[in-house]
Amino acid sequence: MKLLSFKIDGRTSFGAVVEDKVVDLGRKFEGRFADLVDLLKANALAEAERAIVGSAGDYPLSNIEFLPVIPNPPKIICIGVNYETHRTEIGRDPSKMPMVFARFPSTQVGHLQPMTLPPETPTFDYEGEIAVIIGKAGRRISQENCWEYIAGYAPYNDGSIRDWQRHTAQWTPGKNWYQTGAFGPWMTTRGEIADNQTLHLLTRLNGMEVQNADSTQMIFSIPFLIEYCSTFIPLEPGDVIVTGTPGGVGVRREPKLFMKDGDVVEVEITEVGVLRNPIRAEVV
């Protein structure tokens, strides 16, 4: 399945994509689940799959407002410097353990929604990434058992304000400006993607390819990240692990390539879909 969160006619719901339409699972389940997090907590993915069988869809995709796939994740755990190409381009020494930081849910926008360029900086950079959505609660999850804890995968743009990121050794300010991260258009569930399948990641800015990598190039694999993160904190349904960006970021190009008002940025996971967002300067 492809699951998403959306708004229509001023109402928030969640659903499944069937060709070019959305099945409104919020309505179909008659309010039993408030959102996708509730659906995951109830271990109801199989029930959702049965509910869409034979459905022609309720609304065209073109009629909905896309929300972040999980608008209200309990946690967004981001991994820094997790591709050798990115580690090399920034000149960072190899690390024995992942670099981990947090992003807040209010910093996210959905597919086709503007990512906001604040007036305080010109250094708005793209970071195409593979997001893993957790489907089952667990602590100290082994790498061997990690796959059963995954609900699905989605494209993510960990938009970064580079000058604020460098204020100190801690990255929180540069990674948490309002409406600078994008998450969507949907999550493809584990049932459609084989465990340990290679996922192909591309980022384009105004149609120009700026990043191209695949999940085999991660320094710390998805199983390792789940094991590592679940060791220091229990993982919950709806948690999101954003697994790192490959080389090609704008701040390390010559000349530098930052996103500006009117640009369009795309993050594609070939096996999942394309996340597309315009860049809009914030008016204050």
Side-chain angles (χ1 to χ4, degrees), residues 130 132 147 150 153 199 218 220-226 243:
I130 297 168
V132 176
W147 305 107
I150 295 175
Y153 307 85
L199 299 177
M218 292 181 186
F220 300 104
S221 68
I222 289 171
F224 185 93
L225 294 175
I226 290 175
T243 58

Side-chain angles (χ1 to χ4, degrees), residues 37 40-41 69-79 100-108 131-139 141 156 176 183 225-226 228-243:
V37 173
L40 294 175
K41 284 180 177 178
V69 178
I70 307 289
N72 56 334
K75 296 182 285 296
I76 305 171
I77 301 172
C78 297
I79 308 301
V100 179
F101 59 95
R103 187 180 260 279
F104 307 131
S106 63
T107 69
Q108 301 183 125
V132 176
I133 297 93
I134 299 299
K136 186 171 78 169
R139 181 84 193 276
I141 301 165
Y156 204 100
N176 281 283
F183 185 18
L225 294 175
I226 290 175
Y228 182 81
C229 294
S230 70
T231 300
F232 70 81
I233 193 167
L235 295 181
E236 307 168 67
D239 281 349
V240 181
I241 299 176
V242 186
T243 58

Side-chain angles (χ1 to χ4, degrees), residues 9-265:
D9 299 329
R11 180 177 59 86
T12 298
S13 191
F14 64 97
V17 178
V18 177
E19 296 183 356
D20 59 349
K21 292 187 176 180
V22 177
V23 178
D24 190 339
L25 290 173
R27 278 196 166 166
K28 193 170 280 288
F29 285 129
E30 299 179 335
R32 283 175 53 207
F33 309 115
D35 48 36
L36 281 180
V37 173
D38 262 9
L39 186 82
L40 294 175
K41 284 180 177 178
N43 192 29
L45 284 180
E47 189 176 353
E49 202 160 350
R50 290 192 296 271
I52 67 173
V53 172
S55 175
D58 297 305
Y59 324 110
L61 283 170
S62 57
N63 285 10
I64 67 168
E65 177 185 341
F66 288 84
L67 298 176
V69 178
I70 307 289
N72 56 334
K75 296 182 285 296
I76 305 171
I77 301 172
C78 297
I79 308 301
V81 198
N82 197 30
Y83 286 79
E84 185 65 17
T85 51
H86 186 45
R87 186 196 69 78
T88 302
E89 74 180 353
I90 66 173
R92 198 175 191 95
D93 292 335
S95 172
K96 293 182 179 179
M97 291 297 168
M99 177 183 295
V100 179
F101 59 95
R103 187 180 260 279
F104 307 131
S106 63
T107 69
Q108 301 183 125
V109 299
H111 175 60
L112 301 180
Q113 302 307 307
M115 296 172 68
T116 299
L117 171 64
E120 288 83 359
T121 177
T123 66
F124 192 14
D125 207 349
Y126 53 83
E127 288 196 15
E129 309 201 19
I130 297 168
V132 176
I133 297 93
I134 299 299
K136 186 171 78 169
R139 181 84 193 276
R140 298 186 176 92
I141 301 165
S142 70
Q143 294 187 51
E144 292 73 23
N145 295 329
C146 78
W147 305 107
E148 65 186 81
Y149 291 84
I150 295 175
Y153 307 85
Y156 204 100
N157 192 337
D158 184 34
S160 303
I161 305 299
R162 293 301 189 190
D163 49 359
W164 281 68
Q165 183 181 345
R166 292 175 172 174
H167 282 178
T168 71
Q170 301 298 318
W171 290 0
T172 300
K175 296 289 189 173
N176 281 283
W177 282 76
Y178 182 57
Q179 295 182 338
T180 55
F183 185 18
W186 46 68
M187 61 176 269
T188 296
T189 56
R190 178 190 171 209
E192 289 196 25
I193 294 178
D195 295 344
N196 212 31
Q197 179 176 336
T198 300
L199 299 177
H200 297 84
L201 175 66
L202 302 97
T203 307
R204 292 179 289 269
L205 185 61
N206 299 324
M208 179 180 73
E209 184 179 289
V210 289
Q211 293 181 298
N212 187 331
D214 67 60
S215 55
T216 67
Q217 298 168 9
M218 292 181 186
I219 297 170
F220 300 104
S221 68
I222 289 171
F224 185 93
L225 294 175
I226 290 175
E227 180 180 71
Y228 182 81
C229 294
S230 70
T231 300
F232 70 81
I233 193 167
L235 295 181
E236 307 168 67
D239 281 349
V240 181
I241 299 176
V242 186
T243 58
T245 201
V249 296
V251 72
R252 293 296 171 175
R253 291 175 173 267
E254 289 298 338
K256 298 186 190 309
L257 183 63
F258 293 122
M259 297 186 293
K260 60 187 184 302
D261 185 55
D263 284 352
V264 175
V265 60

